[in-house]
Amino acid sequence: MNKVIGTGVNRKDGFAKVTGSATYAAEHQIANLVHGYLVTAAIANGEIDSIDTSAAKTAPGVIAVFTHQNPPKIFQPANDFMTSKIYEARLPLSDNKIYYGGQIIGLVVADTFERARHAAHLVKVKYTTAKPTIDGKQATYKEAPPFFGEELKFTKGDIAAGTNAAKVKIAATYTTATELHAPMEPHAIIAHWTDDNSLTIYEPTQWVAGSQRTYAQICGLPTEKVRIVTPFLGGGFGSKAFPWPHGILAAAAAREIKRPLKVVLTRQQMTANTGHRSETEQLIKLGATADGKLTVIDHEAKSCTSLVDVFPELCTGITPAMYAAANLRIQQEIATLNVGTPTFMRAPGENPGMWAMESAIDELAWALNIDPVELRLKNETTEHQRQGLPFSAKHFADCLRIGAEKFGWKDRPKQVRSLTRDGKLIGWGIAAATFPGMRGKSTVKARLLPDGTAHILTAGNDMGTGAYTIVAATAADALGLPVEKIRVEMGDSLLPDAGIAGGSQMTASLVPAVMSACAEVLKTAGVKTATEALTKLQQSGASAFEATATSAPGGEGKKWAFQSWGAHFCEVSLDEEIGRLQVTRWLSVMNIGQVINAKTAASQVRGGVIMGIGQALMEECHFDPNIGNPVVYDLATYHFPAHADIPRIEVTFVGEPDLNFNPAGARGVGEIGITGVSAAIANAVYHATGKRIRNLPITPDKLL
């Protein structure tokens, strides 16, 4: 039987999605369903003096109106990242305080969506207002608290000595704008209580079992009384990992009204209530010898959080992993603003961190008159300088060398403003890419049926990244069956827990468990191949051979540091008279260990690059300084790339399986593609123009 792993397999969920039979959260059909619409704050800082719901309550079709004066019963969950987690520590409708613009202050429930929306606009609110703090430049910063148990500061060596030893020094500040989450599928929930006090929730979540535990705690129920159903997600990117206030409120309100309740957020509500990537400011100081060896790396970062929870953007996390320096320091500061809580957003921390680091490395290369590829090769580190562990299966140098060869980097003119085409300035840029290799505990059930098919069941889910296909390809490979003979069921808490689809770890977690479960099926049947097992099934009349297996990290994390690597090469074209910048050519070379499905892996890298181009050239959220709401509030006013903005993106994979990491040798690929993208573009802009852009996005006004 031909091997399936490593080849390009068509998506198992593709037909369902293009024909519309894939059912997303808001599309589940529940009898007796009613609709909720949020009432949100018109100020960003202050208190509610009075809230008049009389007109809303008497409007046609209205069933209930909830405010802080009559909130449904909500219990405080543990909120500890391990067993349960909510995005905002403050529970919805818990008091009359307003902490940010667009904060949820009420929920209107009616028999139709339109009637609920109409009634919500009838709610009259009077406030006492205070001046909000909206802009990070006007905020007060302090040392960021530990995150996931790790201090956000680290020093190795002597920074002053490293600086003094340097012949060439770079010190520059790099900023990024606030970026909004904008998944294609809006945030939505259907909460359905049954007569036995059980709760079924249909919601796009990246962590099925975690949401089950969290909603159980929120509602004061045993975990087994809650079922989460998420067969499909229309994108998550970190914004759908945990319950937001609207979901918590909907689940509690549905119990009060004793009807299944649907709440779908508008795009404008999503901009305030479902997370964003904080604005960041980073100061990087580099020092090097005349021949390009780094003597010091000093990286300071600032980000902003909300008044209702703490979330730092961990920009400095990548610094000890990237380049070797005997003297290295990282530190983070954080400020609170009257805005909604920022959260995980594709490569949180690594993305803005690599923007600053890879821009600074490029500046250093120009100052030293050393090729940017050569400078990176010269300073590659073989170990994680904070963990003190060697990297496993690292092929960063291969990414650089192969990328340079394929892109034709040797032909790059060595001077700025020296390359033109059709009256436009042309520039070439490079930047590294990286993301940690992470995996979690994952459990899978495999069943081999008499009709020659196999059924793989897991609560792990596919948020559009291709997990259905990955599971099917792995099972086909393990059992020796065609991919078409594998049926995969995912995204239901009734199935075995497979962990979170976040941190680029779903594949790394799931694949070893699928391999083990399939091997156990054959072992249970007492055979070596699926063909033999099928013969046994048919002869015995048994309904199936089945097995459940679990895979989890062991002690490998004490021996190795696990990281994926890459390099981006890009070309840009600039019409300087009007400031029109276009990305015209792109190559990404990635080292992610074993590639399970070449087709979806390349697609993930392309998606990351496209998102990075958006960050580099156009994504920017400003908040109204008076009412605190985003002034960009939908998919028309918040700019992100269209097809015309994107060139053909070539993707190549290098390196062998990382068998120190897991039995499949596979690391994740969902997030690495976006890291370094914005720096590669800015570096190309410098080559084209001689202008060093240090503030994202690179809009036309900065290029004129």
Side-chain angles (χ1 to χ4, degrees), residues 154-156 158-159 162-163 170 283-288 293-300 316 318-331 357 360-361 364 379 381 385:
F154 171 76
T155 301
K156 167 189 143 181
D158 186 323
I159 301 302
T163 303
I170 291 292
L283 171 61
I284 291 190
K285 300 175 183 177
L286 302 178
K293 290 293 289 184
L294 286 165
T295 62
V296 64
I297 300 174
D298 194 0
H299 188 176
E300 301 175 13
T316 60
I318 53 92
T319 310
M322 280 309 303
Y323 302 110
N327 309 288
L328 183 150
R329 178 172 61 189
I330 58 174
Q331 51 191 2
M357 178 57 67
I361 286 289
L364 183 62
N379 289 285
T381 175
Q385 296 167 97

Side-chain angles (χ1 to χ4, degrees), residues 189-229:
I189 183 173
I190 297 175
H192 183 201
W193 290 84
T194 53
D195 293 339
D196 65 347
N197 200 35
S198 294
L199 172 63
T200 299
I201 285 180
Y202 305 88
E203 183 177 38
T205 175
Q206 297 172 225
W207 192 19
V208 171
S211 287
Q212 180 190 30
R213 292 189 292 269
T214 303
Y215 276 110
Q217 292 181 11
I218 287 167
C219 296
L221 295 174
T223 302
E224 62 272 14
K225 283 282 194 177
V226 176
R227 181 186 179 193
I228 307 294
V229 181

Side-chain angles (χ1 to χ4, degrees), residues 136 140-145 152-154 172-176 278-285 298-304 311-319 329-335 348-357:
T140 301
Y141 288 85
K142 61 183 179 180
E143 183 178 309
L152 302 188
K153 58 182 180 180
F154 171 76
T173 298
Y174 306 89
T175 68
T176 64
S278 167
E279 60 185 273
T280 69
E281 179 183 303
Q282 301 173 69
L283 171 61
I284 291 190
K285 300 175 183 177
D298 194 0
H299 188 176
E300 301 175 13
K302 295 178 179 178
S303 66
C304 302
F311 186 89
E313 187 74 17
L314 305 181
C315 302
T316 60
I318 53 92
T319 310
R329 178 172 61 189
I330 58 174
Q331 51 191 2
Q332 294 231 187
E333 294 184 339
I334 196 166
E350 289 85 6
N351 178 17
M354 288 293 279
W355 147 247
M357 178 57 67

Side-chain angles (χ1 to χ4, degrees), residues 542-560:
S543 60
F545 287 131
E546 65 179 51
T548 300
T550 298
S551 176
E556 63 273 9
K558 296 179 180 179
K559 300 177 183 178
W560 302 96

Side-chain angles (χ1 to χ4, degrees), residues 12 44 95 153 190 195 234 268 295-296 305 341 346 377 457 472 522 530 642:
K12 290 289 284 186
D95 53 45
K153 58 182 180 180
I190 297 175
D195 293 339
Q268 186 166 4
T295 62
V296 64
T305 190
T341 306
R346 200 174 200 161
L377 289 169
L457 304 99
L522 298 180

Side-chain angles (χ1 to χ4, degrees), residues 359-376:
S359 293
I361 286 289
D362 195 72
E363 293 204 46
L364 183 62
W366 282 97
L368 288 163
N369 195 27
I370 294 177
D371 184 274
V373 173
E374 180 186 339
L375 183 63
R376 287 171 172 84

